[in-house]
């Protein structure tokens, strides 16, 4: 797996922009990452991902970090040998697809972590795996749309507008690690919306607004002077 050049004292990091993961993923400081990604990455790598994200929050176009200072700030000791804690943490970032070497910077870092894959979930300790299943079930069964559902619907709507059918839309979302229940719901919703738009009659041309045509809430928002006319 390609790694950036770590023979120099500094490392330039830039955001890894990925519209799909940025829409569906979790910020490094989120509860999801702390509860579930932590068991996959380990504490050193999790803290490194959070540290790099914080630097990019301040310098969104890219930040140059001093490797020794970063290791010290994270309690990983000094030295940049092959088996040093910081080098291992950087390697794990790349191994799990959270960062990648790029030629014109040095390291592109995700600012949102994707949901765990099914394989990763299966490798979690039993107690954490149960909590993860409960977490995803709560997201699916929430009475209001949670951010994951909203993002899945946004993506599904884009696919539906491009002409993808319901089954293909759902499969594409599932391949992006959207839960099948969320993917199916988003695909059906998006295609219903696109169909409703296509069948809706054209809107009449706008005319002068009359007070009687306004909803009560809109009338309540009008200034007193307007109501007196």
């Amino acid at each position: 797996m390609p790694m950036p050049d770590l023979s120099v004292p500094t490392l330039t990091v830039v955001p890894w922009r990925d519209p799909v993961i940025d829409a569906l993923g979790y910020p490094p400081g989120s509860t999801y990452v702390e509860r579930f990604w932590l068991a996959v990455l380990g504490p050193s790598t999790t803290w490194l991902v959070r540290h790099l994200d914080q630097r990019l929050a301040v310098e969104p176009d890219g930040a140059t970090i001093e490797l020794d200072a970063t290791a010290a700030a994270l309690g990983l000791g000094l030295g940049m040998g092959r088996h040093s804690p910081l080098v291992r943490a950087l390697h794990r970032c790349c191994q799990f697809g959270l960062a990648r070497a790029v030629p014109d910077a040095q390291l592109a870092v995700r600012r949102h972590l994707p949901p765990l894959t099914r394989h990763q979930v299966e490798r979690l300790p039993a107690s954490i795996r149960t909590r993860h299943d409960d977490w995803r079930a709560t997201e699916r069964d929430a009475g209001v749309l949670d951010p994951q559902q909203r993002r899945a619907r946004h993506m599904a709507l884009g696919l539906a507008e491009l002409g993808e059918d319901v089954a293909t839309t759902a499969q594409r979302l599932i391949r992006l690690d959207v839960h099948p229940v969320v993917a199916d719901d988003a695909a059906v919703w998006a295609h219903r919306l696109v169909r409703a738009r296509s069948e809706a009659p054209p809107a009449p041309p706008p005319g002068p607004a009359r007070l009687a045509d306004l909803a009560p809430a809109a009338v309540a928002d009008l200034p007193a002077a307007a109501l007196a006319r």
Side-chain angles (χ1 to χ4, degrees):
M1 179 172 301
M3 286 284 292
D5 180 11
L6 300 179
S7 64
V8 293
T10 61
L11 177 66
T12 302
V13 296
V14 295
W16 179 351
R17 293 185 172 87
D18 182 333
V20 173
I21 300 303
D22 289 344
L24 293 175
Y26 299 89
S30 66
T31 302
Y32 183 91
V33 171
E34 182 171 325
R35 289 186 179 179
F36 308 119
W37 267 108
L38 177 61
V40 175
L41 298 174
S44 298
T45 305
T46 302
W47 276 110
L48 176 60
V49 171
R50 289 184 170 185
H51 178 82
L52 297 178
D53 179 68
Q54 290 170 358
R55 288 295 305 269
L56 290 173
V58 177
E59 303 174 78
D61 294 328
T64 299
I65 64 170
E66 296 183 6
L67 295 175
D68 282 344
T70 299
L74 297 176
L76 299 180
L78 300 179
M80 293 302 298
R82 180 178 178 182
H83 299 292
S84 68
L86 181 59
V87 170
R88 291 202 304 268
L90 287 167
H91 179 79
R92 288 180 69 79
C93 286
C94 295
Q95 176 186 356
F96 286 98
L98 308 182
R100 63 178 180 179
V102 289
D104 55 345
Q106 280 186 291
L107 190 70
V109 179
R110 290 194 187 280
R111 300 204 59 201
H112 289 81
L113 277 64
L116 295 182
T117 65
R118 184 171 303 175
H119 177 68
Q120 289 169 334
V121 171
E122 290 172 351
R123 294 174 64 88
L124 291 173
S127 60
I128 300 178
R129 186 167 62 247
T130 299
R131 289 167 57 194
H132 186 272
D133 292 342
D134 292 343
W135 175 285
R136 300 310 298 268
T138 300
E139 284 188 338
R140 293 196 307 273
D141 299 335
V144 296
L145 288 181
D146 60 86
Q148 293 296 308
Q149 290 173 303
R150 286 196 296 269
R151 292 163 182 161
R153 287 189 173 191
H154 178 75
M155 294 177 57
L157 183 58
L159 293 169
E161 289 173 340
L162 290 173
E164 299 280 15
D165 59 26
V166 174
T168 303
T169 298
Q171 286 302 316
R172 286 184 182 275
L173 295 179
I174 291 170
R175 284 198 291 270
L176 296 170
D177 291 325
V178 178
H179 191 283
V181 174
V182 178
D184 290 342
D185 171 80
V188 171
W189 171 87
H191 283 78
R192 284 177 178 170
L193 180 59
V194 169
R195 183 170 61 251
R197 287 176 178 174
S198 66
E199 296 172 353
R210 298 181 305 152
L211 189 60
D213 296 330
L214 295 176
V219 174
D221 291 336
L222 288 175
L227 295 176
R229 291 176 185 171

